[in-house]
Amino acid sequence: MKHVGAPMDRVDGPQKVCGTARYTAEFTLPKMAHALMVQSTVASGRILRIDANKSERMPGVIAVLTHRNAMKLPKGGKAAVEPPHGRVLSLLQDDRVHYNGQPVAVVVAESMEQARAAAAALRIDYDPAPAALSFEEAKPRAYSPEKVVDAEADTRRGDSLKALSNAPCRMNLTYTTPMEHHNPMEPHATLAAWDGKKLTLYDSTQYVAGVQKTVAKTFGIPTDDVRVINQFVGGGFGGKGSAWSHVLLAAMASRQTGRPVRLVLDRPQLFGPVGGRPQTEQTLALGCDRGGKLLAVEHHATSNTSTVEDWTESSAVVTRMLYDCANVTTTHRLVQLNVGTPTFQRAPGEATGSFALESAIDELSYEAGIDPLQMRLVNYAEKDLQNGLPYSSKALRECYRVGAERFGWSRRNPRPRSMQQGRWLVGMGMGTATRPAKRSPAAARVRLMPDGQAIVQSSTEDLGTGTYTVMTQIAADALGYAPSRVRFELGDTRFPEAPIAAGSMTVESVGSAVHAACDKARRRVIQLACDDPLSPLSGASLEDVIVEDGWLRHRDGTRREQVAAVIARAPERMIEMQGDSEAGDETKRYSMHSFGAVFVEVHIDPELGIIRVPRTVGAYGVGKVMNEKTAHSQLMGGIVWGISQALLEESVLDQRYGRFVNANLSEYHVPTNADIGDIDILFVPEQDSQVNGLGAKGLGEVGMTGVAGAIANAVYHATGRRIRELPITLDKLL
Ligand code: MOS
């Protein structure tokens, strides 16, 4: 591997910097109309009356779609639900309102401004019903979900109750995390255009094939009649993993008006109808001996869902495998609130769960009088105790070592509130990062052209993660081409199908398929040359020919020919190969996870409670790193979000009306550059020959895990105050 691993610049960098990368809301079509989604203003009940007369007569207005005149969908629009990616949608099929902010009408006009004005003039009367808006009040009605993503809702090994009662050190602790909402720079957007029975959608999504299937099923039309295109995404983070109501509404509006329709969500509309992270309450009961060895862990997680669908934040799943403990009980419970259905949000499960677990392990370490890092080492899991499987690779011990050394953990005074710099209290905390390494079936194709170019295609996405770049590197190595001769294309359902670009699995899934396709194509080229009397390599044996920088060379150095020349003589003047990839039985033989160790320093103003995070060190074992630069950015982005989760982010639900009161970027806080100090990322080399052919374990999400816990632990170390409710805002320290 010559190009894989190198810190290659993003191949799409120039397009992004020059503004030529086109995002969904930037596409226009002839005769395109603009749609605006109108949302309910009550949290529960029925629509009594909609008066659209005034709106319909306003300048430029083409249509006002409501449940009275919207096209009737097969099965009431419910046909598409395929959890976990499919969602129960609001498609104007009835008069029911399930949450404040639910789509209840769509205004279509010649311009966005005209649509906005007409939407403001729309009069909707409701018959409101009592709404469940308080997590606290809903808790007595908590129930068990059927599944937690693809795992059991509850697990139990050993006897945690008995082990707890015998433990010399034990604690019972409750942590909470608030609702949060995805705030990608690019909001959701859809442009829908029908051509007879065929529908084309430009859609900002993490999963063109998923949108295609959901839309086709909802309309009851063949999948092949729907084409979805999306070449650039300005961030998704799980929020764009499902096709939400607006996608279908844009297609319905286009169908009913006979015009291409563009529907763009504005920032406040990201708070509700397109998912978010649910609120969690997590109780951990832990017991250890005097040496810090865990004797029992119980992790009970409750999170909210909507009233129309079960979606569970898998917070306690991480506790099943992260530490060595014989007696472990985990449970998940749901409470229903009248809010939009939650969904995957970066590191779903681990982001919230590792905050609670890593805080609790830290608390127990003080109780036992053991260094927090030592506590983790004493409880290091040599295998996955949940399923009894060995890890395919696990350099976590080395991550702890090199991370601690780089950070200077040994200079930490273990006593809380003992370190100071000027007037600032100094705290040092750490946490463990982890996230499963998975892959889903994926396909890719390569076309080797007679001009020496290779075009590689798969329907995956680049969420800003570096997919374009990394796939180019993988293809270049597998083909024996220079990366400049490879063009990777994505985001079109006409390309071979890729899975959802989520779950940190794009490299493992699509990368493996790209590698397979390109490997086949290279073999084919060699075969053609060896079989061709016109080739200088004619008659050579296949093993004696290598491909390098677009040249076929005999190993003995005597003969060579350009790949392009071989292709120019090939039957179709082209070589096309498809590659497929899917997980095999390695998933039954190994437990596969990325791991890392995070160390943070916080400075806290003792009088004002202001919290700064001047530096973070993260050391990660993520298998083979495909591109050191984009990988570094992924992990750094994860740490930034971890800091954000710990200190800033919180969607505040108005308990009277069920609207989010801070649905904008001035009051929903995300970090600015000034909020972020030094972030030092270390890669701990790992050879993983089991996880997949590339040896890559995925690093999109692991960077976010462990960080919030590390910060909470550092805050405790700085102040002696334990904050168990995120975000840790200064008022909680006063
Ligand atoms: Mo993600 S939450 O894997 O897009």
Side-chain angles (χ1 to χ4, degrees):
M1 289 195 191
K2 189 168 158 188
H3 303 292
V4 165
M8 197 172 103
D9 288 347
R10 284 169 189 266
V11 297
D12 53 333
Q15 278 168 287
K16 288 192 168 165
V17 172
C18 297
T20 54
R22 287 176 84 198
Y23 293 80
T24 300
E26 296 174 316
F27 283 88
T28 50
L29 290 172
K31 298 195 68 190
M32 186 180 85
H34 297 261
L36 191 108
M37 192 170 84
V38 180
Q39 298 166 275
S40 67
T41 54
V42 298
S44 178
R46 284 171 185 276
I47 300 168
L48 272 185
R49 200 170 67 93
I50 299 189
D51 183 356
N53 286 329
K54 188 174 170 209
S55 302
E56 281 164 350
R57 289 197 310 272
M58 286 172 72
V61 173
I62 300 162
V64 178
L65 266 59
T66 68
H67 69 278
R68 290 181 322 197
N69 62 355
M71 60 190 287
K72 292 296 161 216
L73 297 165
K75 298 189 196 170
K78 293 211 171 66
V81 181
E82 291 171 79
H85 299 306
R87 295 282 93 97
V88 173
L89 303 177
S90 306
L91 303 177
L92 312 180
Q93 300 298 297
D94 59 44
D95 61 359
R96 290 179 170 271
V97 176
H98 306 285
Y99 65 96
N100 193 327
Q102 175 187 313
V104 289
V106 174
V107 178
V108 188
E110 299 294 343
S111 76
M112 193 65 213
E113 292 73 16
Q114 289 168 330
R116 199 169 286 281
L122 196 61
R123 208 198 134 98
I124 307 178
D125 295 325
Y126 299 92
D127 176 18
L133 297 171
S134 160
F135 192 89
E136 238 9 80
E137 285 169 19
K139 265 189 336 199
R141 295 188 298 278
Y143 59 98
S144 297
E146 248 174 62
K147 282 260 175 189
V148 177
V149 194
D150 50 6
E152 299 305 312
D154 296 357
T155 61
R156 175 175 195 169
R157 68 169 179 264
D159 186 343
S160 55
L161 213 57
K162 189 165 151 220
L164 272 174
S165 64
N166 295 332
C169 302
R170 56 175 184 255
M171 301 185 93
N172 199 319
L173 306 156
T174 298
Y175 302 87
T176 64
T177 65
M179 290 186 198
E180 296 164 8
H181 286 92
H182 312 74
N183 270 281
M185 279 202 278
E186 181 209 20
H188 299 243
T190 307
L191 166 53
W194 291 86
D195 178 8
K197 292 186 153 142
K198 305 256 180 192
L199 172 65
T200 301
L201 290 166
Y202 295 82
D203 185 43
S204 184
T205 176
Q206 293 172 231
Y207 190 18
V208 286
V211 172
Q212 179 193 38
K213 285 175 210 171
T214 299
V215 170
K217 281 194 180 171
T218 305
F219 280 105
I221 60 178
T223 309
D224 285 345
D225 283 355
V226 181
R227 181 183 179 191
V228 184
I229 301 168
N230 180 41
Q231 274 138 10
F232 293 97
V233 195
F237 316 119
K240 293 175 183 169
S242 314
W244 296 96
S245 304
H246 67 276
V247 179
L248 280 298
L249 292 173
M252 290 162 67
S254 173
R255 170 108 258 178
Q256 289 191 246
T257 59
R259 302 270 298 268
V261 167
R262 182 208 277 168
L263 195 161
V264 182
L265 299 197
D266 59 20
R267 184 64 50 182
Q269 292 184 322
L270 302 191
F271 291 76
V274 289
R277 211 192 288 281
Q279 184 172 343
T280 75
E281 182 179 288
Q282 304 174 56
T283 297
L284 279 105
L286 309 91
C288 70
D289 68 17
R290 305 249 172 244
K293 181 77 197 71
L294 285 170
L295 301 173
V297 182
E298 292 194 5
H299 190 162
H300 303 288
T302 305
S303 61
N304 76 275
T305 186
S306 66
T307 58
V308 296
E309 183 185 348
D310 284 356
W311 195 91
T312 312
E313 173 79 6
S314 50
S315 304
V317 167
V318 60
T319 302
R320 296 172 184 172
M321 52 61 74
L322 190 53
Y323 294 109
D324 181 282
C325 181
N327 303 295
V328 175
T329 303
T330 68
T331 65
H332 293 86
R333 296 292 177 267
L334 282 178
V335 301
Q336 289 192 346
L337 295 180
N338 286 94
V339 295
T341 303
T343 194
F344 315 93
Q345 187 169 320
R346 196 168 224 198
E350 287 81 2
T352 50
S354 74
F355 158 65
L357 177 62
E358 291 305 297
S359 293
I361 293 286
D362 197 75
E363 297 206 43
L364 193 64
S365 78
Y366 285 97
E367 184 75 8
I370 299 199
D371 175 85
L373 174 54
Q374 187 58 28
M375 183 84 186
R376 269 102 180 159
L377 292 170
V378 166
N379 293 293
Y380 195 85
E382 299 291 351
K383 65 174 183 179
D384 185 337
L385 288 173
Q386 181 59 24
N387 52 24
L389 298 175
Y391 290 108
S392 61
S393 59
K394 184 179 180 182
L396 178 57
R397 201 186 294 280
E398 187 65 1
C399 294
Y400 287 134
R401 193 184 69 75
V402 301
E405 191 178 295
R406 175 70 65 91
F407 182 80
W409 184 257
S410 61
R411 295 197 298 276
R412 175 181 181 270
N413 181 332
R415 202 159 48 80
R417 214 180 172 103
S418 63
M419 297 179 76
Q420 229 165 322
Q421 200 176 94
R423 60 193 296 267
W424 295 83
L425 301 172
V426 173
M428 295 181 175
M430 55 93 50
T432 307
T434 188
R435 180 78 193 151
K438 290 183 181 169
R439 62 173 157 160
S440 283
R445 99 180 132 224
V446 58
R447 288 181 178 145
L448 303 184
M449 310 305 284
D451 63 358
Q453 271 262 326
I455 300 164
V456 186
Q457 298 171 325
S458 177
S459 77
T460 186
E461 295 298 341
D462 189 328
L463 311 174
T465 45
T467 309
Y468 276 113
T469 312
V470 168
M471 296 306 150
T472 300
Q473 291 172 283
I474 292 170
D477 275 346
L479 290 169
Y481 274 38
S484 61
R485 307 302 283 162
V486 175
R487 193 170 82 224
F488 182 71
E489 298 179 339
L490 52 69
D492 192 326
T493 46
R494 293 203 172 156
F495 300 156
E497 186 172 333
I500 182 171
S504 307
M505 61 185 185
T506 298
V507 162
E508 298 94 309
S509 312
V510 181
S512 298
V514 164
H515 189 273
C518 293
D519 192 57
K520 273 197 220 169
R522 182 179 44 80
R523 288 172 198 277
R524 179 78 188 129
V525 169
I526 293 171
Q527 175 93 56
L528 280 175
C530 295
D531 289 351
D532 186 349
L534 295 174
S535 170
L537 293 151
S538 171
S541 71
L542 302 183
E543 314 79 69
D544 285 340
V545 182
I546 55 164
V547 190
E548 223 177 16
D549 281 332
W551 284 85
L552 294 143
R553 297 176 207 275
H554 198 284
R555 284 187 197 278
D556 68 12
T558 57
R559 295 178 277 160
R560 64 172 197 168
E561 184 180 29
Q562 279 197 300
V563 174
V566 179
I567 294 159
R569 294 194 305 271
E572 314 259 302
R573 289 177 47 81
M574 180 177 79
I575 289 174
E576 180 175 311
M577 288 290 171
Q578 173 146 334
D580 301 282
S581 138
E582 63 180 326
D585 71 348
E586 71 276 4
T587 57
K588 298 193 183 74
R589 289 183 287 120
Y590 293 95
S591 175
M592 301 183 283
H593 298 259
S594 287
F595 291 99
V598 195
F599 298 83
V600 298
E601 181 171 320
V602 300
H603 291 182
I604 297 177
D605 183 308
E607 275 145 33
L608 302 176
I610 296 168
I611 309 165
R612 299 275 185 247
V613 187
R615 64 191 188 98
T616 306
V617 173
Y620 298 94
V622 291
K624 169 91 179 159
V625 173
M626 299 284 109
N627 179 320
E628 227 175 80
K629 188 181 273 186
T630 56
H632 183 276
S633 294
Q634 281 292 287
L635 292 166
M636 187 165 63
I639 289 175
V640 170
W641 201 337
I643 294 170
S644 186
Q645 178 199 11
L647 303 178
L648 300 170
E649 289 189 53
E650 174 172 24
S651 300
V652 180
L653 188 67
D654 186 317
Q655 297 290 311
R656 297 160 303 171
Y657 305 111
R659 270 259 165 152
F660 291 100
V661 299
N662 59 339
N664 56 71
L665 285 180
S666 60
E667 293 164 296
Y668 184 91
H669 294 161
V670 296
T672 65
N673 286 344
D675 294 310
I676 301 300
D678 287 337
I679 295 179
D680 204 350
I681 307 277
L682 305 167
F683 291 106
V684 174
E686 273 182 340
Q687 293 271 354
D688 193 323
S689 55
Q690 304 300 335
V691 67
N692 53 56
L694 298 167
K697 290 199 293 189
L699 44 68
E701 293 168 301
V702 69
M704 186 174 177
T705 68
V707 179
I711 291 175
N713 299 341
V715 167
Y716 174 75
H717 180 239
T719 63
R721 297 279 302 279
R722 179 62 67 171
I723 309 299
R724 302 189 185 94
E725 276 166 52
L726 292 187
I728 305 172
T729 44
L730 48 78
D731 53 297
K732 292 174 187 163
L733 285 174
L734 292 179

